Amino acid sequence: MGNDNSLKRIASFMLSALCLTAMLALVSCGKGGSKPETGSSAAAESDPGSPAAAAEASSASAVENPAEETFSENGETVALLDVTDPDAVMGFAAGRWIMTDILSGKDIGELTVGDGGSLSFKRNGTETGLEGSVAFEHNTHFDETSGNTVEDPEVTSFTMKFPLIPKEFTAPDGYLNPGSETVSGLFQVGRGRDEDHLYLTWLGNGDSFVFDRIFQDAERLEAGYREKGECEPQSLWFLHRSSEDRGSSQAAGTEVPAAGVKSASAVSKAKAPDSSGFYAFCWKDLTGKTLLLERMELHDFESLDEYSNRRYSAGYFAPAGDIGINEYSFSDTTDTSLVLNMTRLKGEHPLMMLYVKADGERRLTSIEEVPASYYGLYDMGDLPAKLDHRGTVLIYNGGEYDLTDYGLLTNAITDVKQVGEWIVVDGHVNPHRSLYYLLNTGTGNIEKVIDGVNLTWKGDDITTAVYSLFNEVYNYKGHLVGIIDGDEVEELSFTDGGSTVTAKDFEGKAYVFDAPAPDTAMYRYASFIRNRTPANWKAFLDEAPEGAVGFVMENPDEDIAGYLPAPSNEDTGGGETVYVVALTDGSEVKLETGSMDPDPSGNGFTWRYEGTEDESVLKKGEARGYYTVIPEGIPSRSVFISDGEKSGRFQVQPISGMNDACSEFVTTVR
């Protein structure tokens, strides 16, 4: 009997293989058979190493290696899905989902997707249901390089239609039920060993009654309105389901991957953890030390920030045919310094994009947050600005800035340069004078005007600049560097490797001054608070010495003062300020009073604590300011900061000395 059964299984397998071969042959002769005429096959034949050849090889591999839709290989969960096919995505989405309010952590209702796109939602504790439909679609984006609207190959967007919203759905804050609604947004899907996950976020101006008032924890909304007078809706939506709640189209459990989807073996090999890093969507924090991650592929393109007019590389993410979710562990040694929102990462449902590195045991060695942009896109970094000028008009990435609108004396633009994050515009006034307008690419605003000539700087850092006005030389802050004997400086240059500044008058006489030491860390922090990206935070941290626990600024420069919060105490006179910046989440900060007493050993002075005027807990990168007198003599206030492991104290007294600095990192208790 056993041998007969074996023969039957072999015969059945051979018959299935013959049927599959026949089906593939029919497909190649049908509508799909016309596809090679587009040139992809011709390209593959002429160039075996071309992307077209790689795509065809990937498709062939997928067909030749049919694999279970979900399985585990070498501990990795692999789930194949053709993310370019709306019908395939609908097939995955079909079934019963449990919606979780990520702010309260409660499961709030059931969302059921039918095989054909029907949609129904029922919130826990209510009898009234909400009916509608959902379609999964290709998103589009505007590509600045081509000037065209481009359709993304992956299916990453959805549209939900609710033709009749029952009147029983109301909101505690009086938000009127519109009666019907159409909502569009972006989504992610993932399959783990035990659960499938679905992430939704809607896009658009204004509000969505369905998403902002129905797809919420009603008790939490009511409590928020009762206690604070306003509802606080969640803006990210997380849904989950067990394998038993999948739609009927997934019941078979075994599928031949569609063309263009990598084979299971290729996907598994590509997913092997390595130290080079990969992008991942973080679904869940299981234990505080284990993250559920799904690998993602970046698709980037040139874009323009509509608020600042900045050219940048925008990106969206999609899985590469594999929606498998896997567990990765992290520890106290995992570098999380470039995660700007640790509170969110350590929440139960982070729902954020990361760039991670891991070892062969799926232990994370570093985690970096990917900065979000607008409309579901991500900010992958600056692109060089496109610059031009006409008369007194600066043309920056197509936007125009007329310098005469600033009420100054410029009569022509003579030069425009990009220097790091600044656009430096040389505005001519007369043969002896210019006005330099500094436009920040992160904000799109002209934030500083320098009155002088011979503006000179090091590298791409405008904050190292020096300039002259008649016979005087100034630094970037406008503080005096030196004076020459002649009437006017003709030329300025950095000399001796940048450690000195040489000024020459019109008779050729040279004057040498010490080059000003810039407040580099303060200006790096200024860049960060203008544009809060991990790259800008890293540039700031690179200035910190080992063991730094905080950062302080006294009377910060105008470049940064306007972006800082107002001081937490009242100004008792003088208007002097001190700001402290936390380097880690949960940093404890105190403004203390006390005095400096002679140390019994005879070596200097010791701080004697008397009281605390203000205390707070800051998040990473957050600043807190105080009005206080900055005495030339013995300090009577100090700023104490602790990150839970180490602490430091800064006695409030002038930082600046010979180097004209007004900021420093706090490292040890003083």
Side-chain angles (χ1 to χ4, degrees):
M1 292 293 291
N3 291 336
D4 289 342
N5 288 336
S6 298
L7 290 172
K8 288 178 181 178
R9 284 195 295 270
I10 293 171
S12 176
F13 174 79
M14 294 179 65
L15 181 60
S16 299
L18 287 170
C19 290
L20 174 62
T21 304
M23 289 170 64
L24 292 173
L26 287 171
V27 170
S28 66
C29 294
K31 183 178 179 181
S34 64
K35 213 169 184 179
E37 295 179 9
T38 63
S40 60
S41 288
E45 290 175 7
S46 62
D47 182 7
S50 69
E56 288 199 4
S58 177
S59 299
S61 176
V63 173
E64 293 168 4
N65 297 281
E68 285 190 9
E69 188 181 356
T70 303
F71 65 92
S72 182
E73 181 175 315
N74 297 327
E76 290 279 356
T77 298
V78 177
L80 301 179
L81 178 70
D82 186 355
V83 295
T84 66
D85 182 1
D87 291 335
V89 174
M90 180 66 77
F92 173 84
R96 187 174 68 94
W97 296 88
I98 305 299
M99 183 178 291
T100 301
D101 185 300
I102 63 172
L103 298 183
S104 67
K106 295 180 182 178
D107 290 337
I108 59 173
E110 294 183 2
L111 184 77
T112 302
V113 179
D115 291 339
S118 62
L119 190 71
S120 64
F121 175 73
K122 189 173 182 181
R123 194 158 60 185
N124 293 344
T126 64
E127 295 298 326
T128 305
L130 178 66
E131 303 294 327
S133 63
V134 61
F136 296 99
E137 304 154 332
H138 297 274
N139 198 25
T140 60
H141 67 265
F142 184 78
D143 183 77
E144 290 288 337
T145 303
S146 64
N148 297 318
T149 298
V150 179
E151 184 178 87
D152 301 335
E154 298 81 12
V155 179
T156 58
S157 68
F158 70 86
T159 297
M160 291 184 180
K161 296 182 179 181
F162 304 96
L164 180 61
I165 303 174
K167 64 178 185 297
E168 287 81 1
F169 286 109
T170 60
D173 58 349
Y175 187 149
L176 293 179
N177 182 334
S180 64
E181 192 170 80
T182 297
V183 187
S184 297
L186 301 179
F187 73 94
Q188 296 281 4
V189 293
R191 174 165 291 180
R193 295 181 185 178
D194 303 318
E195 278 193 328
D196 296 342
H197 292 165
L198 172 62
Y199 157 76
L200 303 172
T201 181
W202 75 274
L203 301 177
N205 296 320
D207 298 322
S208 161
F209 184 80
V210 171
F211 273 72
D212 290 342
R213 293 301 182 270
I214 299 178
F215 291 173
Q216 303 282 336
D217 181 348
E219 293 180 355
R220 182 180 58 76
L221 290 186
E222 291 171 1
Y225 186 73
R226 186 172 58 250
E227 297 168 6
K228 302 178 182 179
E230 61 182 13
C231 295
E232 297 180 2
Q234 63 176 344
S235 58
L236 308 173
W237 287 264
F238 173 77
L239 300 96
H240 59 101
R241 71 178 176 199
S242 65
S243 58
E244 290 80 9
D245 292 323
R246 292 168 183 160
S248 59
S249 62
Q250 302 180 67
T254 302
E255 297 179 0
V256 177
V261 179
K262 297 177 181 178
S263 69
S265 59
V267 168
S268 182
K269 182 177 180 181
K271 289 181 65 171
D274 58 67
S275 59
S276 61
F278 57 91
Y279 292 104
F281 187 73
C282 184
W283 285 100
K284 203 169 186 179
D285 187 337
L286 290 177
T287 63
K289 293 296 182 182
T290 303
L291 300 178
L292 290 184
L293 302 181
E294 178 183 353
R295 287 195 178 216
M296 292 285 163
E297 279 195 345
L298 168 65
H299 305 268
D300 56 349
F301 55 92
E302 178 186 337
S303 188
L304 196 68
D305 185 321
E306 63 184 78
Y307 297 98
S308 66
N309 223 34
R310 177 177 66 102
R311 286 183 70 235
Y312 74 105
S313 178
Y316 73 91
F317 291 88
D322 169 33
I323 59 170
I325 300 173
N326 288 279
E327 294 182 12
Y328 287 78
S329 63
F330 66 98
S331 66
D332 293 339
T333 61
T334 303
D335 182 2
T336 59
S337 60
L338 298 184
V339 177
L340 303 182
N341 196 337
M342 280 299 295
T343 302
R344 181 174 171 183
L345 181 64
K346 290 185 175 181
E348 186 177 359
H349 304 291
L351 304 179
M352 58 196 300
M353 200 66 65
L354 305 172
Y355 183 76
V356 301
K357 295 182 180 180
D359 63 18
E361 301 298 322
R362 294 203 299 277
R363 290 187 295 252
L364 295 167
T365 56
S366 68
I367 306 174
E368 179 179 338
E369 184 176 339
V370 179
S373 182
Y374 308 103
Y375 309 120
L377 297 174
Y378 291 85
D379 187 339
M380 307 312 296
D382 294 340
L383 294 175
K386 294 180 180 179
L387 301 172
D388 201 354
H389 58 90
R390 179 185 68 253
T392 60
V393 177
L394 164 68
I395 304 172
Y396 165 61
N397 292 335
E400 296 190 352
Y401 298 73
D402 191 338
L403 301 187
T404 61
D405 292 341
Y406 294 85
L408 300 173
L409 302 175
T410 295
N411 51 57
I413 294 175
T414 59
D415 196 13
V416 180
K417 290 185 175 69
Q418 181 166 5
V419 184
E421 64 175 312
W422 295 94
I423 307 301
V424 181
V425 186
D426 188 344
H428 178 267
V429 176
N430 59 47
H432 305 279
R433 199 165 193 170
S434 293
L435 290 172
Y436 298 95
Y437 300 78
L438 272 59
L439 183 150
N440 187 269
T441 59
T443 65
N445 298 325
I446 292 176
E447 299 196 1
K448 189 180 183 76
V449 180
I450 294 175
D451 182 5
V453 293
N454 297 315
L455 186 69
T456 307
W457 58 86
K458 301 177 187 177
D460 64 351
D461 187 355
I462 193 65
T463 68
T464 63
V466 293
Y467 63 94
S468 62
L469 185 60
F470 300 112
N471 67 334
E472 298 174 334
V473 179
Y474 295 91
N475 67 4
Y476 178 78
K477 294 179 180 179
H479 297 170
L480 186 65
V481 172
I483 302 174
I484 68 170
D485 295 334
D487 293 331
E488 190 173 351
V489 174
E490 180 187 20
E491 179 184 328
L492 276 178
S493 62
F494 286 100
T495 48
D496 297 325
S499 62
T500 59
V501 175
T502 297
K504 291 183 179 179
D505 62 20
F506 279 88
E507 296 179 357
K509 184 178 179 180
Y511 303 81
V512 180
F513 309 104
D514 289 335
D519 263 323
T520 304
M522 182 181 69
Y523 292 121
R524 296 291 181 269
Y525 180 67
S527 298
F528 169 71
I529 58 178
R530 285 191 190 95
N531 190 13
R532 293 176 178 267
T533 66
N536 285 340
W537 180 249
K538 181 179 184 302
F540 168 64
L541 287 186
D542 285 346
E543 300 297 321
E546 185 176 353
V549 67
F551 180 67
V552 293
M553 299 172 286
E554 292 180 336
N555 299 323
D557 193 51
E558 61 180 3
D559 279 29
I560 184 173
Y563 294 96
L564 293 170
S568 60
N569 57 350
E570 293 185 7
D571 185 6
T572 57
E576 293 183 308
T577 59
V578 171
Y579 279 85
V580 58
V581 177
L583 305 185
T584 60
D585 279 317
S587 292
E588 180 186 10
V589 174
K590 297 178 181 179
L591 178 64
E592 301 176 339
T593 59
S595 60
M596 299 295 290
D597 294 342
D599 190 282
S601 64
N603 298 319
F605 294 84
T606 301
W607 173 257
R608 179 166 61 83
Y609 168 81
E610 294 178 358
T612 298
E613 289 189 352
D614 180 88
E615 57 183 313
S616 59
V617 177
L618 304 183
K619 295 183 290 186
K620 181 186 296 183
E622 186 179 1
R624 190 167 181 85
Y626 312 103
Y627 284 115
T628 183
V629 174
I630 302 175
E632 293 290 339
I634 297 174
S636 60
R637 284 186 174 91
S638 70
V639 175
F640 173 84
I641 183 166
S642 171
D643 63 7
E645 295 182 358
K646 55 184 181 297
S647 61
R649 181 175 282 112
F650 168 77
Q651 273 85 45
V652 178
Q653 55 189 342
I655 294 174
S656 60
M658 297 298 293
N659 62 1
D660 192 32
C662 64
S663 68
E664 71 176 30
F665 285 93
V666 181
T667 53
T668 57
V669 173
R670 296 191 297 175

